[in-house]
Amino acid sequence: MSDTVNKTAAIIETVKTQAAGLQDEITAVRREIHRFPERGQRLPKTKAFVMEKLREYGYEPKEICESGIVAEISGKQSGRTLLLRADMDALPVEEKAECDFRSENDCMHACGHDMHTAMLLGAAKLLRQNQDLLQGTVKLVFQPDEEGFTGAKAMLAAGVLENPKVDAGIALHVNSGTPSSMVLCGKGTCMAGCTLFRITVKGKGCHGAMPETGVDPINIAAHIYLALQEIVAREVAAMEPVVVTIGKFQSGDVPNVIPQEAVLEGTIRYMKKEMGEEVLKKIRRICELTAQTFRGTAEVTELASAPPLINDRDMAEEISSYTKQIVGENRVYVYENGGMGSEDFASYTYQIPCTYMLLGAGTKEEDPRYGKPMHNEKVVFNEEILQKGAAIHTCCAILWLEARSRQ
């Protein structure tokens, strides 16, 4: 037992030292991605950059779906396969952060996906340096469109868990407002599911002076908006976490004409998959009947969804134990129950055992620039954590595979 402990400690110290030596390189990679962000399913520049780096590190990357990249590395001994995932897409946000490498277009990496991609590329180089320690295979996955909740599903449909068959997965996400290098790891259901939906209300356009000759879709949409608030208040048990939000309400072009159509878009967040499905049914019922009441129609369309994220409890304990040796015993917080944020890595958690962790990216007490909310136009992440993220990916992969080889 002591030999195993000593070996583990030696591996971690070696990788930490190597990762520290790569800090400048990982930072440069991050800044290059940050300056040219892309969003959605098509990420041509980001994809080309990541594949070029992987080839530089000795990999043979493959694009298995639109902008979805996979690269593999195996040790001399055969064994299990562990997936490490990073997301690459940005947000439709115009950056106003204080930095010298600000985005040069109308998008922004305001959720830190540039950090994730850089950390996993750092891990790719570290794994190559420590390939002789791998007792199995590591599958590196760089994914598009996490924000739109289509990326993970596209990767899964393209067979990311096959050839070789993946046994487990890990994802790491930076978290603004959490002390730098502190790691948060949930057990069980630790992030909410999210369903994005659109409500299209149709009426009959007319002149504003004669509303009786038309059917006002804005009036219908306003009644629908108010009625939807009653779902959580009166149709869901008080102890059941559910949030219904309408974040978009658009209609009309001029002040004196009643338009033909109004559009609302929003989200449902929930901790039980079946609850999300039930709430969507309630939304459809309310919309259709409310529209009928005012002589219009309403159609509800599901745009995209991610289920609640479930961390495998045993795996979360094991990965957390490795991570404590990397960042410090008191720098890892393992918790039960999570918040209402969502993440499309959740789709992987229904196929294989997974561990999803949050890596602290700084607080305003550390630096006045840090600590802004995720997705904020001024959010700044502490780049000093990049080496820690790369080391966490690398050590957890080596040690998880090594532990399986003893079973």
Side-chain angles (χ1 to χ4, degrees):
M1 184 66 177
S2 60
D3 289 343
T4 301
V5 172
N6 291 336
K7 181 180 178 181
T8 296
I11 290 171
I12 289 173
E13 285 306 310
T14 297
V15 172
K16 284 173 63 177
T17 299
Q18 293 171 336
L22 290 180
Q23 173 65 25
D24 290 346
E25 180 176 344
I26 301 172
T27 300
V29 166
R30 184 260 169 152
R31 292 184 177 187
E32 182 67 17
I33 297 170
H34 189 91
R35 288 173 56 221
F36 303 104
E38 297 172 301
R39 65 187 182 94
Q41 299 171 342
R42 295 189 69 255
L43 315 173
K45 291 182 180 179
T46 309
K47 174 185 70 178
F49 179 81
V50 169
M51 294 183 80
E52 180 184 351
K53 278 294 174 186
L54 288 168
R55 292 189 186 102
E56 180 185 322
Y57 297 156
Y59 291 83
E60 297 179 359
K62 297 175 290 185
E63 183 180 8
I64 65 169
C65 63
E66 179 61 55
S67 299
I69 303 166
V70 174
E72 298 161 15
I73 183 169
S74 300
K76 292 180 181 179
Q77 297 184 40
S78 62
R80 305 288 180 86
T81 299
L82 179 69
L83 179 149
L84 301 178
R85 174 272 207 172
D87 36 18
M88 303 185 291
D89 58 314
L91 288 156
V93 174
E94 184 178 348
E95 184 167 16
K96 296 181 181 178
E98 297 178 30
C99 66
D100 298 330
F101 48 93
R102 188 178 295 178
S103 168
E104 296 185 14
N105 58 40
D106 59 355
C107 296
M108 178 188 176
H109 274 294
C111 199
H113 295 186
D114 55 333
M115 301 278 285
H116 307 162
T117 302
M119 289 189 294
L120 191 54
L121 284 172
K125 189 163 188 176
L126 291 169
L127 287 166
R128 180 64 70 192
Q129 292 175 357
N130 296 280
Q131 189 170 2
D132 59 327
L133 296 175
L134 291 176
Q135 299 190 43
T137 299
V138 179
K139 186 175 282 192
L140 306 169
V141 173
F142 298 84
Q143 176 204 300
D145 203 29
E146 187 281 324
E147 298 292 353
F149 295 156
T150 71
K153 291 177 180 177
M155 297 293 281
L156 290 167
V160 71
L161 299 184
E162 305 299 329
N163 302 314
K165 184 179 183 299
V166 173
D167 296 289
I170 296 174
L172 192 61
H173 198 299
V174 297
N175 196 48
S176 179
T178 298
S180 296
S181 298
M182 176 171 279
V183 176
L184 311 179
C185 182
K187 295 171 66 176
T189 303
C190 56
M191 294 192 81
C194 182
T195 300
L196 286 73
F197 62 89
R198 176 186 296 129
I199 304 167
T200 304
V201 179
K202 293 187 180 295
K204 180 183 177 183
C206 64
H207 196 284
M210 297 174 288
E212 73 280 3
T213 64
V215 175
D216 188 349
I218 298 177
N219 177 54
I220 297 171
H223 279 81
I224 287 173
Y225 175 86
L226 293 172
L228 294 183
Q229 311 309 309
E230 303 307 316
I231 293 176
V232 175
R234 289 294 177 266
E235 297 198 33
V236 175
M239 299 302 289
E240 187 73 50
V242 174
V243 178
V244 177
T245 299
I246 299 294
K248 179 179 178 180
F249 192 140
Q250 293 182 337
S251 186
D253 298 305
V254 294
N256 64 338
V257 175
I258 291 174
Q260 294 279 122
E261 183 179 282
V263 175
L264 300 87
E265 291 185 5
T267 60
I268 314 164
R269 296 183 187 269
Y270 42 89
M271 284 298 192
K272 295 178 182 175
K273 193 174 181 180
E274 59 272 18
M275 178 55 68
E277 296 167 353
E278 183 62 29
V279 171
L280 187 59
K281 289 180 183 178
K282 294 178 186 295
I283 289 173
R284 292 186 194 279
R285 185 194 73 232
I286 288 172
C287 291
E288 291 169 2
L289 295 179
T290 301
Q292 288 177 25
T293 301
F294 296 101
R295 298 181 293 118
T297 62
E299 180 182 9
V300 179
T301 305
E302 180 179 331
L303 302 176
S305 65
L309 190 150
I310 303 174
N311 268 356
D312 181 86
R313 289 179 171 275
D314 291 339
M315 187 176 179
E317 286 285 359
E318 180 179 355
I319 297 302
S320 295
S321 70
Y322 301 147
T323 306
K324 287 176 181 178
Q325 297 177 67
I326 301 166
V327 300
E329 182 76 25
N330 298 323
R331 305 290 291 175
V332 177
Y333 177 64
V334 180
Y335 61 92
E336 298 277 353
N337 304 318
M340 300 305 285
S342 302
E343 159 66 67
D344 90 336
F345 183 71
S347 293
Y348 292 90
T349 71
Y350 292 78
Q351 305 295 320
I352 52 174
C354 289
T355 300
Y356 177 89
M357 297 182 290
L358 297 173
L359 176 61
T363 65
K364 63 181 180 180
E365 287 76 20
E366 297 174 51
D367 187 313
R369 298 174 302 160
Y370 302 160
K372 299 285 193 308
M374 305 294 287
H375 291 207
N376 187 278
E377 60 191 6
K378 293 184 178 181
V379 67
V380 173
F381 304 107
N382 182 2
E383 293 180 316
E384 291 300 317
I385 69 170
L386 290 170
Q387 61 172 293
K388 293 290 179 63
I392 290 169
H393 275 309
T394 306
C395 290
C396 288
I398 293 171
L399 297 174
W400 188 89
L401 290 171
E402 197 275 334
R404 307 282 90 65
S405 73
R406 301 195 305 268
Q407 295 177 354

